[in-house]
Amino acid sequence: MGSEQGLVHVLVIEDERDVSALLERHLGGLGCRVTVADTGEEGLELAFAEPPDMVIIDVLLPGIDGREVIRRLRADERTKRCHLVVSSVLNPEDLVELATDELLAKPFRQPAVARLVDSYRNRSSVAQEE
């Protein structure tokens, strides 16, 4: 994991094109470098090839679902420290067992996405000071 020139690299794993495009626009506007995957399989491949700083994962994905993607990312040495955010329309109580750092409830607005990036940057700066 490593950001080029301080940019936060965010991998978005989302099968709904309008949602991934909206996230890409919001994150890009916040100065993030964004990579998008349409499936869990593609997301894992991209994450393992170039571990991002943050991964925003839809729970309801075709094929390998978001829960399994999260489990595999946390289990792999290359990605276990990534800041994982679950994005879902599901009830937050149904997602508590997931090993994620934050929740982005759908539908979302730009301020919620900005809070995620700020949260990551704050955690990252604290970790660097330790």
Side-chain angles (χ1 to χ4, degrees):
M1 284 185 315
S3 301
E4 297 172 12
Q5 304 162 356
L7 290 180
V8 177
H9 177 205
V10 182
L11 171 60
V12 174
I13 307 174
E14 170 63 61
D15 63 319
E16 292 184 40
R17 296 273 182 176
D18 56 336
V19 175
S20 62
L22 184 61
L23 278 169
E24 193 169 13
R25 190 167 50 252
H26 287 333
L27 291 163
L30 295 165
C32 296
R33 181 168 66 95
V34 183
T35 306
V36 176
D38 297 326
T39 66
E41 292 86 348
E42 181 186 9
L44 288 168
E45 190 176 302
L46 290 168
F48 294 150
E50 184 185 355
D53 300 303
M54 181 187 308
V55 185
I56 300 177
I57 309 152
D58 182 18
V59 175
L60 303 173
L61 294 168
I64 297 176
D65 73 358
R67 287 177 166 83
E68 181 62 16
V69 170
I70 291 164
R71 188 192 69 70
R72 291 184 190 188
L73 290 173
R74 283 290 187 230
D76 193 280
E77 198 60 38
R78 297 165 287 185
T79 55
K80 71 181 185 181
R81 288 178 202 79
C82 290
H83 191 81
L84 301 185
V85 177
V86 65
S87 177
S88 183
V89 296
L90 298 176
N91 188 329
E93 287 90 39
D94 296 334
L95 305 171
V96 293
E97 84 283 358
L98 298 177
T100 58
D101 298 297
E102 298 192 61
L103 168 68
L104 178 62
K106 291 179 183 176
F108 54 82
R109 294 185 176 269
Q110 194 277 343
V113 177
R115 280 192 297 276
L116 289 176
V117 175
D118 288 344
S119 174
Y120 167 78
R121 287 180 172 144
N122 290 337
R123 288 180 190 201
S124 180
S125 66
V126 168
Q128 289 175 359
E129 292 172 8
E130 294 176 348

